């Protein structure tokens, strides 16, 4: 049970100096809510004051759990235009509670998490991951790794005291502080992780293009690939932030990779999303490999006995027969991590996880070729790049690796500007009698054949008698609806996806002109506003 909120200053001298906010109410008031492993919102909504409050709540939670370590907080950020400002607000909040702030600079999210775990420190990464530059976020890591859903619940319940005099009326710091000098330890620790695990010269003779855009992982990739023997060509650097989504790769990025592969005679083009936790790897023709396919190859290379992956991932992972157990979860790294932890407790020896976006996680130590890789239970991109390139060099190309897997093809994309609550209401209407009755799904999407099963673990996932799959899911951290499809051919999957997207676009057009039917009755009796939030009285 949470303490009642005080959105107005209390009376008396103390009230003139502080405002008291409960994070649960601040989420509604500001529009900055929890997504995967942290808070996200528009840059305008993520004022210094809001970011200060979230940081206090995170630290208070750690203090209550006895997880603060030696009184230090590591921070880092991606290359968005708002990142430095938000890092300063985070640092100010931490100092107000007596923490020493370690500025790790611009490094990948997994690099910061690894540094925190290696030194027993909490860490906050300022990043919006793959979403556009007008949005940003705070990704929280405890000394043992990224926060789980239980941590999120506790953070939301925190009451924080905000010194009113520190901020102006717009919520900006009255005196913006300078960040500490950048400490390169997180960057170096992350690079060394891979140079110690992969043999020297294992990429000799391979020509690799690094699509830099605005990825904070580009410097790491250059350093590691070059040291392991690859010939590296830097491509596509951007001064402005580019919202690369590895599950919905832009048409222009497909064209660029194919052009570069031909022009520079490359064995592969590699990249990541903005904060370096989701990989992009192309074959020798410049065709990007899907993340859930890459995950299978990586798990097999590492000798995993237990693989954890969300329900949206390619079913080839089961069809390979390479793993003792495959566990399916809801979409989002906290759910994958929770299932990996459970598998470890139950005695699994080599436990890994991956998501359809390509982010790869390790829950146990990996031993291979008399070298060891320590656990890193958070999404990582660099390990995927290195494993695929090493395997490709040994097998004759990335395309041959993909061809070695069962013939299952997935495709995915999203419709943006689609309020999540509206999407949930629509999906609910397609399965009125629960998971065993997809309702009017077949009629709406015009797919031949009969459904043989449906799954509501996360969104609505319908399997048809010919083995094809359509999965619709509202995003958990952005106003969009995602679509995943799977079939036995790449061409068929592309056609299925295009057809589904046209239908989803028609839903969006419909909802742009009217409120969804039954919205007031379906959401706890409260009207839904345009952000998908319930109004509070």
């Amino acid at each position: 049970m949470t303490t009642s909120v005080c959105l107005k200053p209390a009376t008396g001298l103390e009230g003139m100096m502080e405002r008291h906010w409960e994070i649960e109410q601040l989420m509604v008031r500001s529009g900055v809510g929890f997504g995967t492993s942290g808070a996200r919102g528009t840059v305008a909504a993520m004022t210094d004051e809001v970011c200060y409050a979230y940081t206090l709540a995170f630290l208070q939670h750690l203090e209550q759990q006895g997880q603060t370590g030696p009184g230090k907080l590591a921070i880092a950020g991606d290359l968005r235009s708002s990142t430095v400002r938000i890092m300063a607000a985070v640092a100010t909040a931490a100092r107000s509670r007596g923490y020493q702030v370690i500025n790790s600079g611009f490094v990948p999210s997994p690099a910061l998490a690894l540094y925190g775990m290696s030194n027993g420190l909490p860490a906050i990464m300022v990043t919006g991951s793959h979403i556009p530059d007008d949005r940003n976020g705070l990704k929280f890591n405890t000394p043992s790794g990224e926060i789980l859903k239980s941590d999120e619940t506790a953070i939301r319940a925190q009451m924080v005291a905000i010194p009113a005099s520190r901020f102006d009326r717009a919520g900006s710091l009255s005196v913006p502080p300078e960040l500490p000098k950048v400490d390169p330890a997180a960057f170096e620790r992350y690079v060394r992780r891979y140079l110690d695990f992969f043999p020297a010269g294992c990429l000799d003779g391979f020509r690799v293009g690094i699509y830099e855009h605005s990825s904070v992982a580009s410097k790491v990739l250059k350093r590691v690939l070059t040291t392991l023997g690859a010939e590296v060509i830097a491509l596509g650097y951007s001064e402005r932030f580019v919202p690369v989504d590895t599950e919905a790769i832009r048409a222009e990025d497909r064209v660029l990779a194919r052009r570069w592969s031909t022009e520079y005679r490359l064995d592969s083009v590699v990249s990541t999303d903005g904060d370096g936790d989701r990989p992009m790897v192309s074959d020798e023709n410049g065709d990007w490999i899907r993340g859930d396919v890459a995950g299978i190859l990586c798990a097999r290379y590492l000798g995993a006995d237990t693989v954890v992956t969300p329900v949206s991932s390619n079913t080839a992972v089961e069809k390979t027969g390479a793993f003792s157990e495959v566990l399916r979860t809801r979409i989002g790294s906290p759910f994958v991590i929770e299932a990996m932890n459970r598998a470890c407790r139950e005695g699994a020896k080599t436990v890994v996880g991956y998501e359809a976006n390509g982010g790869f996680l390790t829950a146990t130590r990996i031993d291979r070729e008399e070298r060891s890789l320590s656990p890193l239970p958070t999404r990582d991109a660099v390990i995927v790049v290195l494993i695929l390139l090493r395997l490709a060099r040994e097998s004759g190309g990335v395309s041959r690796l993909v061809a070695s897997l069962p013939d299952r093809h997935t495709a995915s994309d999203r419709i943006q500007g689609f309020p999540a609550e509206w999407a949930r209401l629509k999906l609910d209407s397609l399965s009125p009698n629960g998971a065993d009755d997809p309702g009017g799904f077949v009629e709406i999407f015009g797919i031949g054949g009969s459904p043989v099963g449906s799954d509501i673990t996360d969104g609505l996932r319908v399997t048809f008698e010919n083995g094809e799959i359509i999965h619709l899911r509202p995003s958990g951290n952005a106003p969009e609806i995602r679509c995943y499809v799977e079939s036995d051919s790449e061409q068929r999957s592309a056609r299925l996806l295009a057809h589904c997207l046209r239908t989803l676009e028609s839903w969006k057009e419909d909802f742009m002109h009217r409120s969804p039917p039954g919205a007031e009755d379906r959401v706890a009796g409260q009207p839904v506003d345009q952000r998908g939030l319930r109004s509070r009285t």
Side-chain angles (χ1 to χ4, degrees), residues 243-279:
V244 169
D245 184 345
T246 61
E247 282 189 278
I249 297 176
R250 304 177 308 162
E252 55 263 48
D253 291 336
R254 297 183 186 278
V255 171
L256 283 173
R258 290 168 182 154
R259 191 187 81 201
W260 288 333
S261 293
T262 300
E263 183 178 348
Y264 296 101
R265 306 186 312 280
L266 300 175
D267 293 297
S268 179
V269 180
V270 301
S271 188
T272 76
D273 66 338
D275 69 320
D277 67 348
R278 307 177 185 204

Side-chain angles (χ1 to χ4, degrees), residues 168-442:
D168 63 21
R169 297 186 66 179
S172 299
L173 283 164
S174 302
V175 182
E178 290 187 6
L179 288 169
K181 181 180 178 181
V182 173
D183 183 335
F187 178 91
E188 295 297 335
R189 174 69 180 81
Y190 188 58
V191 167
R192 181 50 52 190
R193 169 182 174 82
Y194 296 111
L195 295 183
D196 288 345
F197 184 67
F198 290 90
C202 67
L203 297 181
D204 281 350
F206 234 46
R207 287 173 60 85
V208 181
I210 296 179
Y211 176 26
E212 295 184 289
H213 61 90
S214 52
S215 168
V216 77
S218 294
K219 290 183 179 179
V220 170
L221 288 172
K222 288 179 189 176
R223 170 93 168 268
V224 174
L225 293 177
T226 301
T227 305
L228 293 177
E231 180 183 354
V232 170
I233 301 169
L235 302 163
Y237 173 76
S238 174
E239 289 280 357
R240 301 180 63 184
F241 186 81
V242 179
V244 169
D245 184 345
T246 61
E247 282 189 278
I249 297 176
R250 304 177 308 162
E252 55 263 48
D253 291 336
R254 297 183 186 278
V255 171
L256 283 173
R258 290 168 182 154
R259 191 187 81 201
W260 288 333
S261 293
T262 300
E263 183 178 348
Y264 296 101
R265 306 186 312 280
L266 300 175
D267 293 297
S268 179
V269 180
V270 301
S271 188
T272 76
D273 66 338
D275 69 320
D277 67 348
R278 307 177 185 204
M280 291 172 65
V281 180
S282 86
D283 65 13
E284 60 275 20
N285 302 309
D287 291 326
W288 298 111
I289 307 306
R290 284 194 54 84
D292 48 3
V293 171
I296 301 170
L297 294 166
C298 291
R300 192 167 64 181
Y301 173 87
L302 294 173
D305 56 51
T306 301
V307 176
V308 180
T309 193
V311 65
S312 59
S313 295
N314 193 309
T315 61
V317 63
E318 286 94 355
K319 295 180 184 298
T320 62
F323 312 108
S324 299
E325 188 170 26
V326 176
L327 304 175
R328 296 282 186 159
T329 71
R330 290 180 61 187
I331 295 170
S333 54
F335 301 110
V336 174
I337 294 168
E338 288 172 350
M340 291 196 305
N341 291 342
R342 186 165 57 251
C344 291
R345 290 194 299 269
E346 294 172 356
K349 294 181 179 179
T350 306
V351 182
V352 304
Y354 65 84
E355 297 184 90
N357 57 43
F360 198 85
L361 309 89
T362 54
T364 53
R365 192 181 78 175
I366 308 292
D367 294 310
R368 181 183 169 89
E369 298 174 323
E370 300 183 350
R371 297 167 182 262
S372 295
L373 189 70
S374 60
L376 183 54
T378 193
R379 276 195 306 261
D380 187 24
V382 171
I383 190 172
V384 177
V385 170
L386 296 176
I387 289 175
L388 292 191
L389 293 185
R390 186 180 184 194
L391 287 173
R393 182 176 177 273
E394 295 172 350
S395 66
V398 175
S399 62
R400 288 193 178 185
L401 293 177
V402 176
S404 72
L405 296 176
D407 206 18
R408 295 293 291 171
H409 298 267
T410 50
S412 63
D413 209 334
R414 60 187 172 168
I415 298 295
Q416 295 178 288
F418 200 126
E421 194 60 54
W422 289 357
R424 292 187 189 98
L425 290 172
K426 186 66 175 179
L427 294 184
D428 285 348
S429 73
L430 295 181
S431 52
N433 298 318
D436 294 328
D437 181 4
F441 194 93
V442 175

Side-chain angles (χ1 to χ4, degrees), residues 417-422 479 511-512 515 527-534:
F418 200 126
E421 194 60 54
W422 289 357
F511 286 140
M512 292 298 287
S515 296
V528 178
D529 68 18
Q530 290 190 347
R531 294 173 298 163
L533 296 172
R534 279 172 265 185

Side-chain angles (χ1 to χ4, degrees), residues 310-312 329-332 335 424 427 455-461 471-476 482 484:
V311 65
S312 59
T329 71
R330 290 180 61 187
I331 295 170
F335 301 110
R424 292 187 189 98
L427 294 184
D455 189 328
I456 56 171
T457 299
D458 201 339
L460 178 61
R461 183 177 177 88
H471 182 182
L472 306 177
R473 171 185 174 265
S475 173
R482 288 183 177 266
Y484 312 82

